[in-house]
Amino acid sequence: MTKFWQLAFEGFSLGCVYALIALGFTVIYRSSAVINFAQGSMLLIAAYLISWLTVNEGVPFFVSMLISIAMLAAAAVGFQAAVLRRVRRMLEQPIFTVVMITIGLSITLTAAVDAIWGPQQRLLGDPWGSSAVHAAGVVFNWDKLWAIIFVAVIVAGFYAFDRYSRYGLATRATAADEEAALAVGIPVMRIHALAWGVAGSLAVVAGLFLAGFPNSPNPALGNSALLAFPAIILGGLESPLGAVVGGIVIGLVQLLTQGYEPGWLGNNFYEVAPYVVMIIVLLIRPYGLFGARPVERL
């Protein structure tokens, strides 16, 4: 049982990070119906930025994290305002074009990381390193414990913002019906920019924990965002709660499968297992665990 609880703890911690990535996708999708394929590259840039500030420039770790959050949020808002907003105004059906722009942004950011910092791995300079606590034979690494704590605080803050703040109410109204939101004076363009800023901030925290000990910032880190797709589809594209639950489920499935996969399935079946679970869930609930069938007026 010790092995099971060890894998469950690590899977839960990893799932919390996936939940942040999935929440970044969901925040943008529910405000503008756009899937941001650059979320993984934003995460990659964030990890390298924290590493450069901490290791090369000697900035304290948590200050580096705050600076990175501010820079990524500002860059994401600037990109949305300078590029995506103009495209949406010029085209009658801009969604496909916007999605393709996010794919182009992803390729550009990934190439920029390689050009600026090179292909080699880097140190992140995180403060907890390999420290851990032990209980009942299970090793609780502090980097994984802090991932759970950070995600719990962020999700609680997001819930409070979404439910009780003026902009949270405006965001939910925009997600429900953009045209009706415009009709009652809600600044929809500002809501779209806010969503991109939140997604950029979430990418920084996710990149921080994905690249922390025993991992390190490397060019392949952005591919981790691909595992957020099963999470958001599993939970429902427009549901923040579904993004969190879906991320945790995917993390648990991946780590438990990695620990117990039979040899006849091969050595890397755990990489496929999240997609298998996603397909099974969609066969039962086509709109995800927390998704709702769209209502159309006849």
Side-chain angles (χ1 to χ4, degrees):
M1 286 297 293
T2 301
K3 178 181 178 180
F4 171 81
W5 289 116
Q6 182 70 58
L7 291 171
F9 164 69
E10 294 179 3
F12 183 80
S13 178
L14 179 62
C16 286
V17 180
Y18 287 157
L20 282 186
I21 303 172
L23 191 58
F25 280 106
T26 299
V27 165
I28 291 178
Y29 184 84
R30 74 197 291 251
S31 72
S32 57
V34 171
I35 295 179
N36 174 27
F37 284 94
Q39 190 72 16
S41 298
M42 291 163 63
L43 179 154
L44 177 66
I45 284 281
Y48 273 84
L49 186 58
I50 294 174
S51 171
W52 174 70
L53 287 171
T54 304
V55 177
N56 294 82
E57 301 301 318
V59 180
F61 178 79
F62 287 106
V63 176
S64 297
M65 182 181 71
L66 294 176
I67 292 173
S68 299
I69 288 174
M71 291 180 67
L72 260 293
V77 170
F79 176 77
Q80 193 280 332
V83 179
L84 300 186
R85 183 181 299 180
R86 294 174 62 87
V87 171
R88 290 178 70 93
R89 286 175 176 172
M90 290 188 295
L91 299 177
E92 293 182 1
Q93 299 293 331
I95 300 301
F96 176 76
T97 303
V98 170
V99 169
M100 294 304 297
I101 290 174
T102 66
I103 294 175
L105 175 63
S106 175
I107 296 171
T108 302
L109 291 179
T110 302
V113 166
D114 185 69
I116 296 171
W117 288 289
Q120 67 276 8
Q121 293 186 348
R122 293 179 55 89
L123 295 175
L124 187 65
D126 57 272
W128 40 78
S130 59
S131 58
V133 294
H134 302 258
V138 179
V139 180
F140 296 93
N141 293 90
W142 271 111
D143 64 307
K144 294 179 172 57
L145 286 171
W146 276 113
I148 296 171
I149 294 169
F150 266 64
V151 172
V153 171
I154 289 171
V155 170
F158 180 84
Y159 177 82
F161 168 81
D162 195 49
R163 288 290 174 182
Y164 303 114
S165 73
R166 179 182 177 183
Y167 272 96
L169 178 61
T171 299
R172 287 189 287 125
T174 303
D177 192 327
E178 186 173 307
E179 291 185 3
L182 279 169
V184 297
I186 291 176
V188 171
M189 292 296 103
R190 195 179 304 168
I191 296 301
H192 291 171
L194 176 65
W196 274 82
V198 171
S201 302
L202 293 174
V204 174
V205 182
L208 163 67
F209 287 108
L210 278 181
F213 181 88
N215 301 316
S216 61
N218 64 84
L221 189 66
N223 295 333
S224 301
L226 294 175
L227 283 171
F229 283 108
I232 59 176
I233 294 173
L234 184 69
L237 277 169
E238 297 183 0
S239 170
L241 175 61
V244 174
V245 173
I248 292 173
V249 169
I250 293 303
L252 287 169
V253 167
Q254 186 179 7
L255 265 293
L256 289 172
T257 304
Q258 185 178 9
Y260 289 106
E261 63 182 359
W264 57 271
L265 285 175
N267 296 325
N268 297 315
F269 179 74
Y270 70 92
E271 297 181 353
V272 180
Y275 298 93
V276 174
V277 172
M278 178 191 72
I279 292 171
I280 293 173
V281 170
L282 290 181
L283 288 174
I284 301 171
R285 291 186 60 84
Y287 296 97
L289 294 174
F290 296 91
R293 183 187 295 273
V295 177
E296 297 182 6
R297 180 175 297 176
L298 299 178

